[in-house]
Amino acid sequence: MKPYSDSTQDGYLPLGIFGGAVAAVIAAIVWAAITAATNYTIGFMAVGVGFVVAYAVRFCGRGHGRAYAISAAILALLGCLLGNFLAACAVAANQNHVAILSAIAVLLPHFAQVISDGFSFMDLVFYAIGAYFGYRYATVPLRAQRKPIEPV
C-alpha cells in the first residue's frame, strides 16, 4: 500500500494551463462588463483575475508546484492585459454607440496602441499585484494534507 504522496509534481500541468487560460478570458470579460456597466475602470479587478486564474490552474491541473505558480502568474498578467483591452473596447463602444464586438474588431489590430494609450503607473502596480496573487495562490494545495496511516 502506497502512502499519500505530498509531491508537488502530481497533477497535469497542460490541463492546468488550459483551465487557467479559460479562466483568464472569462475574468477579462467580467472586467470589461463591470467597466461597461459602471463607466469606471477598476484596477482592483487585476487582483480578482489573479485569484481566479490561480484557482483554475490548481483545480484543473491538480497540482501546486512552482511550474503551476509561474504559469498562473503569466496567465494572470495576460488576463489583466486582455481585461484592460476589453474594458477600453467597452468604453469606446459606449461612446460611439456601436456594438462591443464591432469595437473589438476595429481595435484588435491596434491592441498595443490601445493598451499604451490608457496605461499608467498604477496599471503596472495592479498588474504586478495580479501576477503575484496568481503566483502565490497557485502554490496552495486544494485539499488539506493527509498524513499516512501508521501501522499499530
Side-chain angles (χ1 to χ4, degrees), residues 114-138:
V114 170
I115 293 295
S116 66
D117 283 348
F119 194 78
S120 70
F121 177 74
M122 287 309 294
D123 288 332
L124 186 63
V125 169
F126 284 120
Y127 290 174
I129 292 171
Y132 168 76
F133 277 102
Y135 183 90
R136 173 69 181 95
Y137 287 99

Side-chain angles (χ1 to χ4, degrees), residues 18-127:
F18 176 75
V22 170
V25 170
I26 291 170
I29 291 169
V30 169
W31 183 337
I34 290 172
T35 300
T38 63
N39 287 325
Y40 187 72
T41 303
I42 302 167
F44 285 109
M45 292 296 294
V47 175
V49 171
F51 276 125
V52 168
V53 169
Y55 182 79
V57 168
R58 280 186 353 230
F59 181 79
C60 294
R62 295 290 181 201
H64 58 276
R66 185 174 183 161
Y68 290 87
I70 292 170
S71 299
I74 291 169
L75 289 170
L77 181 60
L78 293 174
C80 290
L81 286 169
L82 181 61
N84 220 357
F85 173 75
L86 293 177
C89 290
V91 169
N94 283 344
Q95 289 176 349
N96 295 315
H97 307 291
V98 297
I100 187 145
L101 291 178
S102 298
I104 292 170
V106 169
L107 295 175
L108 189 58
H110 309 287
F111 182 88
Q113 185 67 36
V114 170
I115 293 295
S116 66
D117 283 348
F119 194 78
S120 70
F121 177 74
M122 287 309 294
D123 288 332
L124 186 63
V125 169
F126 284 120
Y127 290 174

